[in-house]
């Protein structure tokens, strides 16, 4: 639009904004020609005439044009240097969704643009200035235990301010490295910032614990973080092969299926339907939503925690999933019927 190009409008000297007019103390000496620096050859000898000769007039016009051009360029450069920054703001800086509202992913920087790239969370024990510090990592196979941990800041101080996201300030996911034994837990925190939760790890092996939380800073800013740490169960580790890819499974008498095709680096919809023998199951809200979806990548166990649209779509739960790259993923769908929470599991191959 024309009002976005001020250089095309004639400028009246008394209307030039301050930001464009360079002050005398800001103009370099090499640009301002002083009278005592004009070469003798440029000064016409003889008596002073009321009308300047052609050479003097041409010299004055050239010098004046050069000075005006430099001044305008200097002023416009100052405007551009202090103008508005372009580009999209970072989506990873704050967690802006109200608890239980809005589909989104935890553990990854995501985008709704096709072809967008994302990295899963939970691959590191430290990220964004925070560290997951378990107070014990060894458990006996099949024996009830207690997992205790802290989240510490860059000064190694326990963090004690967390936002309530989907009804809880902390979501803890635990799974064995062969992607079996999935658990979705909600620890409680004491005043000193120590979290604890009962935990039983049924089989020997190395297990991965993911702490999914949102820290609240003193100025109110929120930072969503997912950190991961390994837990060890001594014994004879016999990993299980990942089941074949399928779009339907049964769990606790329910038939659960989904529609949609995950694509590497793209955000696509996945719609889940839960049925009983008599038809569609009466889904209930669990943690503020009709379902929760965790995706783990085979190999490095990269983590995505996806929340659905706030309402059912034709009786089904719709998620928007961004997978960071090709490979096999294990999906875990938590849903609630009759006050009981159930988990349906799927293997998905992303090309």
């Amino acid at each position: 639009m024309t009002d976005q190009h001020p250089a095309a409008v004639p400028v009246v000297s008394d209307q030039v904004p301050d930001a464009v007019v360079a002050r005398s103390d800001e103009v370099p000496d090499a640009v301002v020609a002083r009278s005592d620096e004009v070469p003798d050859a440029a000064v016409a000898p003889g008596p002073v005439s009321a009308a300047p000769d052609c050479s003097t007039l041409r010299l004055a016009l050239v010098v004046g044009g050069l000075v005006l051009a430099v001044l305008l360029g200097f002023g416009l450069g100052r405007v551009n240097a202090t103008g508005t920054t372009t580009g999209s703001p970072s989506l990873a800086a704050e967690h802006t969704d109200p608890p239980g509202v809005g589909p989104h992913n935890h553990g990854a920087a995501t985008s709704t643009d096709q072809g967008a790239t994302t990295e899963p969370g939970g691959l590191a024990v430290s990220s964004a200035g925070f560290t997951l510090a378990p107070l014990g990592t060894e458990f006996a196979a099949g024996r009830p235990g207690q997992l205790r941990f802290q989240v510490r800041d860059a000064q190694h101080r326990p963090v004690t301010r967390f936002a309530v996201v989907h009804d809880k300030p902390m979501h803890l996911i635990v799974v064995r490295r062969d992607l079996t034994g999935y658990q979705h837990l909600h620890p409680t925190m004491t005043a000193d910032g120590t979290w604890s939760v009962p935990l039983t790890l049924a089989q020997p092996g190395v297990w991965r614990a993911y702490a999914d939380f949102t820290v609240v800073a003193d100025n109110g800013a929120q930072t969503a973080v997912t950190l991961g740490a390994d837990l060890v169960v001594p014994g004879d580790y016999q990993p299980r092969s990942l089941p074949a890819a399928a779009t339907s499974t049964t769990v606790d008498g329910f038939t659960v299926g989904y529609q949609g095709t995950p694509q590497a680096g793209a955000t696509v919809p996945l719609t889940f339907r839960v049925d009983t023998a008599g038809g569609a199951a009466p889904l209930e809200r669990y943690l503020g939503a009709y379902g929760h979806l965790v995706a783990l990548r085979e190999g490095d166990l990269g983590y995505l925690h996806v929340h659905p649209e706030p309402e059912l779509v034709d009786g089904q739960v719709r998620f928007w999933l961004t997978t960071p790259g090709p490979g096999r993923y294990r999906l875990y769908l938590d849903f609630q019927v009759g006050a009981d929470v159930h988990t349906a599991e799927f293997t998905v191959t992303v090309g």
Side-chain angles (χ1 to χ4, degrees), residues 306-323:
V306 193
H307 294 279
E309 294 185 1
E311 300 297 333
L312 296 174
V313 180
D314 297 327
Q316 302 177 74
V317 190
R318 177 174 293 169
F319 300 84
W320 293 87
L321 175 66
T322 306
T323 49

Side-chain angles (χ1 to χ4, degrees), residues 71-117:
L71 292 180
L72 287 176
F74 184 75
L76 291 175
R78 286 171 58 85
V79 171
N80 291 336
T82 57
T84 303
T85 302
T86 59
S88 301
S90 171
L91 296 180
E94 293 187 6
H95 184 103
T96 56
D97 291 306
V101 178
H104 56 280
N105 290 7
H106 289 191
T110 61
S111 172
T112 56
D113 296 332
Q114 294 297 314
T117 58

